[in-house]
Amino acid sequence: MKEIMPVNGQFVMMELPYSALGNVISAQTLCFHHGKHLKAYVDNLNKALPGSGFEGKSLKEIVCKSEGGMFNNAGQVLNHTMYFEQFSPILKPASAKLTSLIEKNFGSMDAFKKEFEQKGATLFGSGWVWLSVDRDGKLVITQHKNAENPVTMGLRPLLTFDVWEHAYYLDYQNRRADYLTALWQIVDWSVVESRLD
Ligand code: MN
């Protein structure tokens, strides 16, 4: 997993690698989700850093070792960075290597997507659904509440869908399942595959 380090003692908000995501996520949602929600998490994390003992540490280390407000903000910065980085308005299909890994673990790409959507749809309240690699190299789908990230369980996270209402309510209102189904259209599988190493 790519290490995210502070610059001059402060974490820098990631820039979106695109300006639009077709009809899947509107410009308005991107504007609020990235420009307001993520910005608030980055600002709050940076405010909490001085004197915390976490100065100069990587984001992953902070997520793995902190608790309370520090953990919530650091976790949300890590989660949203991985979420926004993994999308593209241009179709980036899974390579033969990644497809066969998913087929080996879930039977088929469709079976994987169905289970991932189902775990996202049934997560009660706010949180994230993740695809990760476990210590034995097996792919696992896990549900995480609030700001949690699978790195705290020793997993290597590959893909995540945000199921906090702020991620979809402007575009899909209460239809979380429709939002989850639509997201497959914009997943950049080359980014997902890069997280394997
Ligand atoms: Mn979010």
Side-chain angles (χ1 to χ4, degrees), residues 4-158:
I4 300 171
M5 301 300 298
V7 178
N8 298 325
Q10 299 277 280
F11 285 97
V12 179
M13 190 162 90
M14 57 93 68
E15 284 181 30
L16 290 178
Y18 40 77
S19 55
L21 290 169
N23 296 324
V24 178
I25 298 176
S26 68
Q28 188 188 26
T29 291
L30 280 180
C31 184
F32 277 95
H33 198 184
H34 177 267
K36 305 285 185 192
H37 289 275
L38 175 55
K39 180 159 194 316
Y41 296 129
V42 173
D43 288 348
N44 288 335
L45 173 61
N46 284 331
K47 266 185 244 162
L49 278 179
S52 67
F54 290 108
E55 302 94 328
K57 304 293 185 194
S58 74
L59 190 56
K60 179 183 165 186
E61 184 171 352
I62 298 173
V63 169
C64 288
K65 294 183 178 168
S66 65
E67 52 191 25
M70 177 71 79
F71 171 79
N72 287 335
N73 287 295
Q76 287 294 73
V77 174
L78 180 59
N79 295 349
H80 284 91
T81 300
M82 296 187 72
Y83 174 79
F84 287 121
E85 278 180 354
Q86 71 190 8
F87 296 134
S88 169
I90 301 151
L91 190 65
K92 303 271 185 69
S95 67
K97 179 190 163 194
L98 184 55
T99 302
S100 87
L101 187 63
I102 288 172
E103 287 171 352
K104 196 175 121 202
N105 282 270
F106 299 98
S108 70
M109 186 60 104
D110 282 346
F112 156 68
K113 287 179 178 175
K114 195 175 163 199
E115 183 180 340
F116 198 81
E117 287 176 41
Q118 189 265 340
K119 291 237 166 87
T122 57
L123 194 159
F124 187 79
S126 297
W128 302 78
V129 57
W130 288 88
L131 173 69
S132 304
V133 188
D134 74 9
R135 290 183 182 87
D136 302 320
K138 192 169 168 286
L139 297 184
V140 290
I141 300 173
T142 51
Q143 295 173 315
H144 296 264
K145 287 182 185 305
N146 301 321
E148 292 170 6
N149 183 297
V151 287
T152 62
M153 302 160 61
L155 299 172
R156 180 190 297 264
L158 303 180

Side-chain angles (χ1 to χ4, degrees), residues 86 98 131 158-159 187-196:
Q86 71 190 8
L98 184 55
L131 173 69
L158 303 180
L159 171 74
V187 170
D188 181 338
W189 289 97
S190 67
V191 172
V192 177
E193 187 165 352
S194 73
R195 294 170 179 166
L196 279 168

